[in-house]
Amino acid sequence: VGEDGGPRAPRRPTLRDVAGRAGVSIKTVSRVVNGEPGVAAVVADRVRAAVAEVGYVPDAFASNLRRGDRRTRAIALVVEDVANPFSAALHRAVADTAHAEGVVTLAASHDRDPDRERDAVLAFAGRRVDGVVLMPSVSAHAWLDGLRAAGMEVVLVDRPAEGLTADVVLSDHRAGAERAVAHLVAHGHRRIAFLADEPGIFSAAERLAGYRAALGAAGERVDEQLVRTGLRDAAAAERAAVDLLGGTTPPTALLTGQNLLTEGAVRGLRRLGRQREVALVGFDDVPLGDLLDPGVTVVAQSPAQLGATAARRLLQRIAGDRTPAATAVLPTELIARGSGEIPGPSGP
Amino acid sequence: VGEDGGPRAPRRPTLRDVAGRAGVSIKTVSRVVNGEPGVAAVVADRVRAAVAEVGYVPDAFASNLRRGDRRTRAIALVVEDVANPFSAALHRAVADTAHAEGVVTLAASHDRDPDRERDAVLAFAGRRVDGVVLMPSVSAHAWLDGLRAAGMEVVLVDRPAEGLTADVVLSDHRAGAERAVAHLVAHGHRRIAFLADEPGIFSAAERLAGYRAALGAAGERVDEQLVRTGLRDAAAAERAAVDLLGGTTPPTALLTGQNLLTEGAVRGLRRLGRQREVALVGFDDVPLGDLLDPGVTVVAQSPAQLGATAARRLLQRIAGDRTPAATAVLPTELIARGSGEIPGPSGP
DNA sequence: CTGAAAGCGCTAACAT
DNA sequence: ATGTTAGCGCTTTCAG
């Protein structure tokens, strides 16, 4: 090994390397790095110079291992799909809120697979995250108990998890769906179809319940032929929409249970060339929904607010908040853009 | 402390706890947990039972601290904005590719702020990620040298970073832009405006260069009045589009440099009611672009392929690949949907 | 096949 | 104001 090139060992510099260079003990370096008092200014400067020279980056692992509070200042976010616009916006909000407190965010998708969900949370738990914001899949979550007992905080988002007592942050799914139906009824619709996700998912079930309740309130019987559940993607929703409209007593309006299904419904209506005759209201906003023709009327959630609220709650818990678990319900907002205002047979 | 309730200490179970319960040494538990050979089947079963009973989750920190290879089986992704559809899809692909290898992915946004970028990478470096997929901001990246020398692998995505020799995975920005211009020219356009991002960004500059080259190849002079750079969001692009079309010798076609700018241009055209007269081609696909009227013709990248390729490259590097740094250029695809086929004055 | 001892990089508690 | 010692939970090395 030449003497000038340096060994360039693929080894990260440690406190000891810095200490050697600065001519102090490793504890002094530790003090400087952590901003602890009790170090002479001259020495501190020398240490900082040495840190920069060797390119020292504190090892969060080792530091945390010994640290008393055992906090890693990291949280995790586990959602169905980080690429879904709703989840992506949620991710951004959680990360921003955490970042402002110097907390890093790790994220993963579970695709509704309970095993992947468990794997993701366990992987993060192994990395000793202080807590997790979880959009739970439909499954038992008893395996979380141990982790929570061991101090990992959990805040659920979008929906609760069965048999799990924890903070929840969600939209007012039911009221939003009721509002959507009332809107359609006000525009003269009676035969309103609902394209729904798996009813096992709390949020989907609540939206469906809101649909039923609002139809009842309007004095309408629910025609079960008009309720299609178990739709998981845009393609399924498109098929369902086309099928519904081809039936003997087709609906005059469509209500869709989430952004992907709204997209599918729009596709279906286009395919039939009936997007200006059949009304449509979507639950959850859809990208560029205002630019479609007609614009897509939606009951919008605020993923940014949901994420920020969930992250704040989680950070409070991590900071020691021991108040009872609570559910935060955020309002939705109906945004009329055209598709939901297409008049039905009963006049508007 | 009552004897039945249990102490419920907020302390995670350790190897020692499991060992005590199973009546073996911690080393034996370690062997079982890591699937090492040399443990009697009966003993192993007893250990596994104890692991389940106490809810033991291996501490990745401690394990890594002592481990020889010092690999954490975690990688990081640092992009401009995890909520941008392009980055969100990229994130998903990186995470999926990594997950298939048992590697977890941490993600962060830097919003083009070099300080946030550095903070993010350093935070991840402190957590000892094995490598990072980085969409670099416009800034010097010398601070990365130390980390790389210490063994952290880096793969750049979407664009290279000045003065940094590393693997790069990107789209063929220039050819894509050339293709877009040629498409518009073929449809009879000569006065084609370009709405561009900051030209300091390599990908933006390349797209602009492609625009200039293709116009030259078509025998057109570039009218600098029609080139608007420094547009960072949809609102800026919308203003630029409206301004351009209100000029004395307005363009007959628009080319936009990225998805947000495309959205802005569509908004601008709508506001003027001219979306059926002025042609538009966007670089990078835009959600629901096929459902707009007219459909948005785009030069689509494949964020999924970019992400998978970058992640694979990174994992290879981490696995010990020492071949010279290479640049992978992925092709783009022109998707004609209507807006780009609006005829210009020179006929099609 | 199993276990005891040492030590990874760092911080807590106590020196000096 | 600075240093020393012990030990976090685990894996390595080496001994039974």
Side-chain angles (χ1 to χ4, degrees):
Chain A
V1 177
E3 61 180 6
D4 278 347
R8 211 190 87 78
R11 183 178 124 315
R12 288 167 147 98
T14 72
L15 271 191
R16 208 196 317 273
D17 299 321
V18 178
R21 211 152 194 330
V24 295
S25 79
I26 71 168
K27 179 63 215 185
T28 296
V29 179
S30 170
R31 287 196 175 98
V32 173
V33 169
N34 293 309
E36 284 171 29
V39 181
V42 235
V43 180
D45 284 344
R46 191 146 39 92
V47 169
R48 271 186 286 267
V51 163
E53 279 161 26
V54 304
Y56 171 74
V57 178
D59 188 324
F61 284 36
S63 149
N64 177 253
L65 194 53
R66 191 63 180 93
R67 180 166 259 123
D69 60 2
R70 303 248 44 198
R71 291 305 185 190
T72 56
R73 303 201 70 68
I75 63 172
L77 171 70
V78 179
V79 295
E80 271 184 26
D81 178 9
V82 291
N84 181 292
F86 175 80
S87 299
L90 190 78
H91 180 193
R92 185 62 213 256
V94 168
D96 283 352
T97 305
H99 179 79
E101 308 280 339
V103 171
V104 314
T105 303
L106 328 186
S109 312
H110 62 58
D111 282 330
R112 300 189 180 181
D113 178 343
D115 291 334
R116 273 197 72 161
E117 179 191 18
R118 192 163 174 274
D119 283 355
V121 174
L122 249 39
F124 290 144
R127 308 189 81 74
R128 294 300 185 257
V129 297
D130 300 332
V132 54
V133 174
L134 173 65
M135 183 187 293
S137 74
V138 181
S139 61
H141 284 79
W143 51 269
L144 261 175
D145 292 342
L147 298 175
R148 297 179 74 204
M152 195 182 75
E153 304 292 342
V154 175
V155 170
L156 302 170
V157 70
D158 187 62
R159 55 231 197 195
E162 249 191 71
L164 200 66
T165 305
D167 291 308
V168 186
V169 177
L170 38 60
S171 296
D172 195 339
H173 305 296
R174 188 182 294 235
E178 287 176 2
R179 179 93 179 72
V181 170
H183 185 76
L184 288 167
V185 167
H187 283 274
H189 296 277
R190 291 298 174 268
R191 293 189 58 75
I192 303 171
F194 189 71
L195 305 191
D197 205 318
E198 322 264 3
I201 300 173
F202 175 86
S203 40
E206 280 292 293
R207 293 170 195 177
L208 182 53
Y211 161 83
R212 291 184 190 281
L215 273 186
E220 284 299 310
R221 249 190 57 253
V222 175
D223 180 350
E224 295 299 335
Q225 302 291 330
L226 298 184
V227 178
R228 300 294 168 96
T229 62
L231 308 176
R232 294 191 45 155
D233 54 30
E238 180 176 348
R239 282 192 299 272
V242 168
D243 183 58
L244 276 165
L245 293 170
T248 48
T249 49
T252 65
L254 263 38
L255 174 58
T256 50
Q258 43 105 325
N259 56 8
L260 260 35
L261 305 186
T262 306
E263 183 189 327
V266 171
R267 288 218 149 77
L269 290 174
R270 296 274 167 135
R271 210 166 85 197
L272 299 172
R274 302 188 57 191
Q275 70 271 24
R276 289 180 213 287
E277 306 162 19
V278 179
L280 170 66
V281 175
F283 199 111
D284 193 25
D285 206 355
V286 53
L288 270 54
D290 57 326
L291 294 180
L292 298 185
D293 195 21
V296 183
T297 295
V298 296
V299 174
Q301 308 183 74
S302 172
Q305 230 184 306
L306 287 165
T309 305
R312 271 197 302 268
R313 194 84 196 87
L314 185 61
L315 294 173
Q316 285 166 2
R317 288 291 181 199
I318 291 167
D321 183 345
R322 289 287 164 272
T323 55
T327 297
V329 181
L330 271 52
T332 58
E333 179 192 7
L334 188 133
I335 306 178
R337 293 179 180 142
S339 73
E341 294 71 48
I342 294 171
S346 320
Chain B
V1 177
E3 61 180 6
D4 278 348
R8 210 188 86 79
R11 184 178 124 313
R12 290 168 144 99
T14 72
L15 271 191
R16 208 195 319 272
D17 299 321
V18 178
R21 212 155 194 327
V24 295
S25 79
I26 70 169
K27 177 64 218 186
T28 296
V29 180
S30 170
R31 286 197 176 96
V32 173
V33 168
N34 294 311
E36 284 171 29
V39 180
V42 236
V43 179
D45 283 343
R46 191 148 37 91
V47 169
R48 270 186 287 268
V51 163
E53 280 161 26
V54 304
Y56 171 74
V57 177
D59 188 324
F61 283 38
S63 147
N64 176 253
L65 194 54
R66 190 65 179 91
R67 178 166 261 124
D69 60 2
R70 304 247 44 196
R71 290 305 186 192
T72 57
R73 302 201 69 68
I75 62 172
L77 171 69
V78 179
V79 294
E80 272 184 25
D81 178 9
V82 291
N84 181 294
F86 175 80
S87 298
L90 190 78
H91 180 193
R92 186 62 213 257
V94 169
D96 283 352
T97 305
H99 179 80
E101 307 282 340
V103 171
V104 314
T105 303
L106 328 186
S109 313
H110 62 58
D111 283 330
R112 300 190 180 179
D113 178 343
D115 291 335
R116 274 197 71 159
E117 179 191 19
R118 191 161 176 274
D119 282 356
V121 174
L122 249 38
F124 290 144
R127 306 187 80 74
R128 293 302 185 256
V129 296
D130 299 332
V132 53
V133 174
L134 173 64
M135 183 187 293
S137 74
V138 181
S139 62
H141 285 79
W143 52 269
L144 261 174
D145 292 342
L147 298 175
R148 299 179 73 205
M152 194 182 76
E153 304 292 343
V154 175
V155 170
L156 302 171
V157 71
D158 186 62
R159 55 230 197 197
E162 249 191 71
L164 200 67
T165 305
D167 292 308
V168 186
V169 178
L170 38 61
S171 296
D172 196 337
H173 305 296
R174 188 182 293 237
E178 286 175 2
R179 179 94 180 70
V181 170
H183 186 76
L184 288 168
V185 167
H187 283 274
H189 296 277
R190 292 296 174 269
R191 293 190 58 74
I192 303 171
F194 189 70
L195 304 191
D197 205 318
E198 322 263 3
I201 299 172
F202 174 87
S203 40
E206 281 292 294
R207 292 170 195 178
L208 182 53
Y211 161 82
R212 291 184 190 281
L215 273 186
E220 284 299 310
R221 249 192 55 251
V222 175
D223 180 350
E224 294 299 336
Q225 302 292 331
L226 298 184
V227 179
R228 301 293 168 97
T229 63
L231 308 176
R232 294 191 48 155
D233 55 30
E238 180 176 348
R239 283 191 299 272
V242 169
D243 184 57
L244 277 165
L245 293 170
T248 48
T249 49
T252 65
L254 263 36
L255 175 58
T256 50
Q258 43 105 325
N259 56 8
L260 261 34
L261 304 186
T262 306
E263 182 189 328
V266 172
R267 289 217 147 78
L269 290 174
R270 296 274 167 136
R271 211 166 85 197
L272 300 172
R274 302 188 57 190
Q275 69 272 24
R276 291 181 213 286
E277 305 162 21
V278 179
L280 170 66
V281 175
F283 200 112
D284 194 25
D285 206 355
V286 54
L288 271 53
D290 58 326
L291 293 180
L292 298 185
D293 194 20
V296 183
T297 295
V298 296
V299 173
Q301 308 183 75
S302 173
Q305 230 184 305
L306 287 165
T309 306
R312 271 198 302 268
R313 194 83 197 90
L314 184 61
L315 294 173
Q316 285 167 1
R317 289 292 182 197
I318 292 167
D321 183 343
R322 290 286 164 272
T323 55
T327 297
V329 181
L330 272 51
T332 58
E333 181 192 7
L334 189 133
I335 306 177
R337 293 179 180 140
S339 72
E341 294 72 47
I342 293 172
S346 321

